[in-house]
Amino acid sequence: MSSGGAVPREGIAERISRWLVWGSGALLLACAVLVTLDVLTRKLFRVTFFESVELSQYAFAITISLSLAYALTAKTHIRIDAAFPLFGRKLRAVLDVIAILAMTGLAAGFAYYSWQVTAQTFNMPGRLLGAASASSLQFPIVIPQAIWAIGFTWFFLVCLLYLVRSAWALARWDISTVDALVGIPSMVSELEETRAELDQVRSETGSR
Amino acid sequence: MVILALAVLVVLVTGGVYIAAVLGLLGAFLGEFFAFFPLLRAVGNISWTASTDFVLVSVPLFILMGEILLRSGMAEDMFESLDKWVNWMPGGLMHTNIASCAMFAATSGSSVATAATIGTVSIPNIERRGYNPPLFLGSLAAGGTLGILIPPSINMIIYAVLTETFVGDLYLAGLIPGILLAAMFSVVILIACLYKPSLSGTRTLASWSDRLTALRHLIAPIVLFVIVVGSIYAGVATPTEAASLGVIGSLILALARRRLTWLSLLRSFEGTMKTTAMVMLIVLAAFFLNFVLTNIGVTRFIDNYMKGLDISPLLGILAIVLLYLILGMFMETLSLMIATLPIVFPVAMALGFDKVWFGVLFIVLIEAALITPPIGMNLFVVQAIREKGPFRDVVIGSLPFLVAMLVLIGLLIAFPELATWAPEAVRAARS
């Protein structure tokens, strides 16, 4: 295999991240169904049944944070590599590790502060489990918030795993492992990936 | 302080640090050292508010709709049908490319998805019908960019949320410039092929009965457009509700055509969620940075500074255009949008521009960024579908269309009504 952004082999962390994304997608689709039903019943009977606005807001927050780790393993999070052709392979590997270090820091921040908000909500006065939403649902906000915080925490753990693995590889000057873990997908590999995806779409849909 | 922040920003970005991390850590740094009270504590609340923003929920829904439509096969029928109507012009299929991109753009909120979908259908015809590769590929890369100008548009939603603009206004404002740009792309092809007929391949002239029967293939995209964008225009649905209707509509379409398998649905989920996660992480970080910049007075400073400079609005807007043409060569467009708006939007407002108008101009600049080398997503996508031949072809072929975009920018500056008329007319009609 050529270097330059082969997606790392699917281990347990990658597999869990993929399952989370499948679940998030299903949740998103369920939201689309609920919102659609609410729009239709609002037009036809002038009532809304499902409080779909509120529920889809919570679902949205959950799907974002649960999908962050998959986007990391799939190398979707964006880095600018316009200047990278000017650098040597070793310098690039060092920059790769610095980048994942910064990302781990960001993820740690989000994880910490998302739990802080969850704790605040929990400690607010309410009937059950802290503050409830102001709507007729009176939904205990702490539930979606906690799942949201779990998503950030998982993202932080996967970042940390990638940081440790890539830093260890860098310490042994194993450049290609660093690249495979956290490198920027090169234009060539990105083209190949897009092509493979499109081929797959074509074969699935049986067109041309 | 501003200079220092900008320098740190540039070093980290060119050093290849994740854009989201750059924005978030810069926010934390500025907040810790320049604010009078700890701003970091607000991260959680800001993030929760942004994560539950009902308008932003439409972003993954529009992406999911595009992923499903890509697999539905709707684009192929639409392409064949439009081909019968526009193929007779000098330039033949290339006009079909533009027309199909424009029509697909009316159901898709993404430029990359538009270029990928229409490109997949169209590119096999280059050899089959003997077209000049560069111009043909350019028409696809450039035509695809219409995805974010003709509503619905994911980029417009993000602009709307970051600048507190009404999405419906932006969608109305983008329609006329979008159709105009598509027409200008066709004119570019026409001029090129009249000047040098060898650029065009074999053309076909369809009979009127063929044309009329082919119209039924346009029903699906038109119905989707009416459901999604029409409901926003009519004021009966919010963007998120419209996007939900679109997801269900495209799902029904794909099921009716027996094009949907469990596996392809899971692949759609993966594609949708990884893009959403990427976008939203940058948005969350940008929201926090925005909050810090406002709190430590940078936003006010920019406003005062710009007013103190006393430069003419025209000069100011031309400088912004030039800045984005240069940045657009090197930066991926979403990060370009989200990372620069917190600074550039206050500048544009200080110059006295309308935020809906600036939104449309901004989107055209983002379109240009999509086809300016060396980094241009649409160039990459078209090259990826093509599989063989030099990348240079796509780059060169896109340049004439870039000129059309610059002309549109000029027209928007000279005649702001192109963008502002439609939303104002609708508002007047409603009240």
Side-chain angles (χ1 to χ4, degrees):
Chain A
M1 267 306 286
S2 65
S3 67
V7 174
R9 202 162 42 85
E10 188 163 74
I12 187 79
E14 288 80 8
R15 204 170 309 155
I16 292 173
S17 301
R18 186 186 293 272
W19 290 336
L20 289 175
V21 154
W22 287 348
S24 299
L27 191 58
L28 183 69
L29 189 59
C31 285
V33 172
L34 282 192
V35 172
T36 303
L37 288 176
D38 260 355
V39 172
L40 294 180
T41 56
R42 189 180 67 206
K43 278 287 124 194
L44 297 175
F45 313 112
R46 296 181 180 281
V47 284
T48 51
F49 285 114
F50 302 108
E51 295 289 351
S52 61
V53 171
E54 188 180 335
L55 291 177
S56 59
Q57 283 170 309
Y58 299 148
F60 178 53
I62 292 169
T63 57
I64 300 165
S65 73
L66 290 179
S67 303
L68 288 168
Y70 178 75
L72 182 81
T73 64
K75 296 187 168 182
T76 314
H77 289 299
I78 288 178
R79 302 168 57 190
I80 305 299
D81 62 348
F84 270 41
L86 307 174
F87 307 148
R89 273 189 82 207
K90 287 188 175 175
L91 177 58
R92 262 187 270 177
V94 173
L95 290 173
D96 285 343
V97 175
I98 293 175
I100 185 69
L101 177 68
M103 193 62 139
T104 310
L106 182 77
F110 274 124
Y112 177 79
Y113 288 106
S114 60
W115 281 114
Q116 193 194 46
V117 170
T118 311
Q120 272 171 13
T121 311
F122 186 74
N123 290 327
M124 271 184 229
R127 279 186 317 174
L128 178 77
L129 297 174
S133 64
S135 72
S136 60
L137 269 185
Q138 297 221 338
F139 201 84
I141 302 172
V142 73
I143 294 175
Q145 251 172 5
I147 305 175
W148 177 68
I150 289 171
F152 280 123
T153 310
W154 176 248
F155 176 49
F156 165 67
L157 291 174
V158 175
C159 280
L160 194 63
L161 178 70
Y162 274 53
L163 173 65
V164 170
R165 276 153 120 192
S166 59
W168 176 238
L170 185 69
R172 290 175 289 126
W173 281 120
D174 181 358
I175 306 284
S176 54
T177 302
V178 176
D179 199 32
L181 279 168
V182 289
I184 299 182
S186 72
M187 203 178 97
V188 176
S189 72
E190 213 164 317
L191 289 177
E192 272 162 10
E193 199 188 310
T194 318
R195 190 175 301 157
E197 257 172 52
L198 291 170
D199 281 346
Q200 196 190 358
V201 168
R202 260 177 283 183
S203 66
E204 275 168 21
T205 58
S207 65
R208 268 185 270 257
Chain B
M1 176 176 73
V2 176
I3 306 290
L4 180 71
L6 275 177
V8 172
L9 192 77
V10 170
V11 168
L12 292 178
V13 167
T14 44
V17 176
Y18 295 93
I19 293 291
V22 175
L23 300 180
L25 298 178
L26 184 68
F29 172 79
L30 291 175
E32 281 303 285
F33 289 96
F34 295 103
F36 294 112
F37 44 91
L39 299 178
L40 260 176
R41 266 184 227 162
V43 170
N45 275 314
I46 293 171
S47 306
W48 176 252
T49 309
S51 296
T52 53
D53 187 314
F54 190 56
V55 176
L56 281 177
V57 185
S58 61
V59 171
L61 291 169
F62 276 125
I63 300 174
L64 181 61
M65 179 181 165
E67 292 272 343
I68 294 172
L69 280 183
L70 174 66
R71 291 165 169 84
S72 73
M74 177 192 84
E76 285 150 47
D77 290 347
M78 194 184 80
F79 186 86
E80 299 292 327
S81 175
L82 287 171
D83 191 51
K84 295 194 167 62
W85 286 86
V86 297
N87 195 310
W88 57 272
M89 287 189 280
L93 264 177
M94 290 187 273
H95 295 290
T96 314
N97 289 344
I98 300 297
S100 304
C101 282
M103 192 149 202
F104 193 77
T107 62
S108 158
S110 150
S111 286
V112 171
T114 305
T117 310
I118 304 302
T120 310
V121 181
S122 179
I123 281 179
N125 291 306
I126 298 182
E127 283 183 15
R128 214 178 289 159
R129 301 210 221 167
Y131 279 86
N132 166 274
L135 193 64
F136 194 96
L137 298 166
S139 73
L140 287 166
T145 66
L146 292 169
I148 56 170
L149 183 59
I150 297 178
S153 162
I154 292 166
N155 296 53
M156 279 185 183
I157 293 170
I158 291 172
Y159 176 91
V161 170
L162 287 176
T163 63
E164 293 173 5
T165 311
F166 180 50
V167 176
D169 281 349
L170 281 169
Y171 278 12
L172 281 164
L175 194 62
I176 293 173
I179 295 170
L180 186 65
L181 187 58
M184 278 161 42
F185 285 163
S186 262
V187 170
V188 166
I189 295 168
L190 205 60
I191 292 171
C193 292
L194 286 175
Y195 179 69
K196 201 174 167 193
S198 66
L199 291 174
S200 182
T202 48
R203 284 184 271 152
T204 48
L205 189 63
S207 70
W208 278 100
S209 66
D210 267 4
R211 284 181 184 172
L212 292 174
T213 48
L215 281 182
R216 70 194 162 88
H217 291 308
L218 300 184
I219 294 174
I222 290 173
V223 167
L224 276 178
F225 178 78
V226 170
I227 291 176
V228 175
V229 181
S231 62
I232 297 176
Y233 284 171
V236 298
T238 62
T240 298
E241 290 169 347
S244 296
L245 293 170
V247 168
I248 302 303
S250 53
L251 203 61
I252 291 172
L253 184 72
L255 285 173
R257 301 173 61 104
R258 299 177 187 286
R259 288 295 187 88
L260 205 66
T261 62
W262 285 108
L263 187 68
S264 64
L265 193 63
L266 289 180
R267 293 282 169 270
S268 312
F269 288 168
E270 285 171 14
T272 304
M273 291 320 302
K274 73 177 181 189
T275 309
T276 307
M278 176 273 283
V279 173
M280 283 305 299
L281 189 64
I282 301 177
V283 168
L284 293 184
F287 260 101
F288 173 61
L289 180 61
N290 233 340
F291 169 76
V292 172
L293 290 181
T294 311
N295 253 287
I296 62 176
V298 171
T299 315
R300 200 169 350 105
F301 171 79
I302 293 172
D303 191 56
N304 289 337
Y305 184 75
M306 288 309 296
K307 281 180 178 141
L309 265 186
D310 198 31
I311 54 170
S312 75
L314 181 66
L315 205 63
I317 203 75
L318 288 178
I320 291 177
V321 168
L322 189 67
L323 173 76
Y324 276 99
L325 288 176
I326 294 168
L327 284 177
M329 290 159 76
F330 303 104
M331 272 186 85
E332 187 276 338
T333 50
L334 261 168
S335 38
L336 174 66
M337 250 187 92
I338 303 170
T340 56
L341 262 180
I343 305 287
V344 172
F345 183 71
V347 171
M349 293 306 102
L351 289 167
F353 290 106
D354 175 68
K355 59 183 179 178
V356 173
W357 175 86
F358 183 69
V360 172
L361 183 88
F362 190 76
I363 295 290
V364 180
L365 287 169
I366 295 293
E367 285 188 86
L370 282 164
I371 58 166
T372 42
I375 311 287
M377 256 336 269
N378 273 28
L379 302 174
F380 295 165
V381 169
V382 169
Q383 175 67 12
I385 304 168
R386 185 190 178 201
E387 298 189 23
K388 53 180 186 285
F391 181 58
R392 197 180 56 235
D393 283 357
V394 194
V395 173
I396 292 171
S398 299
L399 289 180
F401 300 99
L402 186 63
V403 175
M405 288 179 186
L406 295 180
V407 172
L408 179 66
I409 289 169
L411 286 173
L412 278 170
I413 293 171
F415 309 103
E417 299 80 14
L418 282 174
T420 54
W421 177 79
E424 275 163 18
V426 168
R427 209 173 300 140
R430 272 201 208 126
S431 59

